[in-house]
Amino acid sequence: MKGFRVRGTLGSVLVGCAILASGVLAEEGAVTGEGALRPVAIVGSEVPQSLTETPGDPVRGRALVADRTKGLCLLCHAGPFPEERFQGNIGPDLAGIGGRLSAAALRLRLVDGRALNPDTIMPSYYTLQATTRVGAAWRGRPVLEAQEIEDIVAFLGTLRDTRTEGSAL
Amino acid sequence: MRGRSAPVLGLLLAWSATAAEIPVSERRSGFDAMSPDIQAMQQDEMANPGLLWLQDGADLWGKAPSPDRPACAGCHGEAGASMRGVAVRYPVYDAATAAPIDLEGRINACRARHQGAAPFPRESRELLGLTTYVAAQSRGLPIAPPDDPRLASARAVGKALFTQRMGQLGLSCAACHDDHAGRRLGAALIPQGHPTGYPLYRLEWQGVGSVQRRLRNCMTGMRAEPFANGAPEFVALERYLMDRASPLPLETPAVRP
């Protein structure tokens, strides 16, 4: 049991401090609105609660997973994507992953897999993690937005090790 | 102003080793995993496109920068004799600036100190040409790190940078090149990341580029802010990479996909 931690609020505080420290006035809504992280509650090895009110869209999720400049997943993983050439082999194959992991477990794996394996190469997609020299274009925002995480969780849940998984979408 | 010692010290403190270094007997050049046709392109004197840059460098070697100043050859004579074994030692410690200096930096220092000439910009055709020409004189020699205690801090900084998570994706050089070399990152086979062939001709660049251009590419891939051209951090990384690659042979000008 890893206990209960609330992320996101801490992230927002850090972003707020960075803005103040650099002498730039925080715009109305910069800390609580677009770009700020929603609170994420890790319970054990899961994030049971959806990050958003809108249910994830598996079709959008599939497109994000296959997109090599957004989700980046296929750079490291293979999966049931017959139309995609050059899938990576750094992480495990995603085929059937929805049968092996619950939505809550998938959510933590995406939000911050380092909570499970501190040395993993897999990026933490929804943290403003302790890292240095973030490129100017990427500063102060997570790799994916909360709704995009939910879309991917919904899509991965459909991967059930059948011959037609994924392509039925 | 380049006062960077404070953040670098911070990095050193934050660094905790997880990755294991590649043992000497298992070190492999990126050359080994290339397709036979690209290997052949590198090894064929007529087909290697880097030879165009090498020829530029040979011309500049013999050319005086102004009528009253010597050419490189005026001080060093035949490059084949005087420059053999130089590139396999670099970066070295430069007493005049009391700092490590890489091969490009040395060429520009010679221009300033002995030729009264302005430095060539990094990645300019001239600097790539001269660096390629000088480095090619060591082709086939094993990389031989200098035994110089004044380089110890650069080595430590380079190693810390290599193992530190950077950029929005929080990757480190070591995560790819120590831990996952030989795996596929999309279409690319991850090499061990040895700087054995620089400057080299990359098909994707359609031109010759320096090792720092390669490092900038990797940092951009990590969504990290690359260091400036010639920055001390890059020189420190180069020092560590050369230590890590020794005793692989120098390949300049290599060819890579």
Side-chain angles (χ1 to χ4, degrees), chain B residues 212-244:
Chain B
Q212 291 194 15
R213 180 169 180 191
R214 173 68 255 170
L215 302 189
R216 221 170 8 258
N217 276 198
C218 280
M219 289 182 79
T220 307
M222 300 154 85
R223 299 188 176 173
E225 198 63 40
F227 302 112
N229 273 324
E233 288 91 342
F234 267 153
V235 178
L237 257 176
E238 280 183 59
R239 180 64 269 155
Y240 175 67
L241 289 173
M242 289 292 272
D243 293 346
R244 189 179 165 272

Side-chain angles (χ1 to χ4, degrees), chain B residues 114-164:
Chain B
H114 308 301
Q115 296 185 311
F120 290 126
R122 294 260 169 174
E123 302 310 316
S124 62
R125 179 107 188 176
E126 291 88 349
L127 190 55
L128 287 171
L130 271 173
T131 310
T132 302
Y133 183 64
V134 170
Q137 308 307 321
S138 301
R139 203 169 175 177
L141 294 181
I143 290 171
D147 180 15
D148 184 341
R150 295 170 301 179
L151 291 168
S153 71
R155 295 192 147 103
V157 168
K159 181 168 184 171
L161 289 169
F162 193 80
T163 45
Q164 168 75 36

Side-chain angles (χ1 to χ4, degrees), chain B residues 71-179:
Chain B
C72 312
C75 291
H76 297 289
E78 270 302 314
S82 64
M83 293 295 121
R84 185 147 177 85
V86 168
V88 291
R89 292 200 308 270
Y90 267 68
V92 299
Y93 184 80
D94 176 40
T97 53
I101 191 169
D102 64 0
L103 199 51
E104 282 91 340
R106 168 64 73 211
I107 289 167
N108 272 334
C110 272
R111 279 179 64 76
R113 290 171 200 168
H114 308 301
Q115 296 185 311
F120 290 126
R122 294 260 169 174
E123 302 310 316
S124 62
R125 179 107 188 176
E126 291 88 349
L127 190 55
L128 287 171
L130 271 173
T131 310
T132 302
Y133 183 64
V134 170
Q137 308 307 321
S138 301
R139 203 169 175 177
L141 294 181
I143 290 171
D147 180 15
D148 184 341
R150 295 170 301 179
L151 291 168
S153 71
R155 295 192 147 103
V157 168
K159 181 168 184 171
L161 289 169
F162 193 80
T163 45
Q164 168 75 36
R165 287 189 189 273
M166 278 191 268
Q168 191 201 36
L169 301 178
L171 299 168
S172 69
C173 317
C176 284
H177 294 297
D178 281 346
D179 295 351

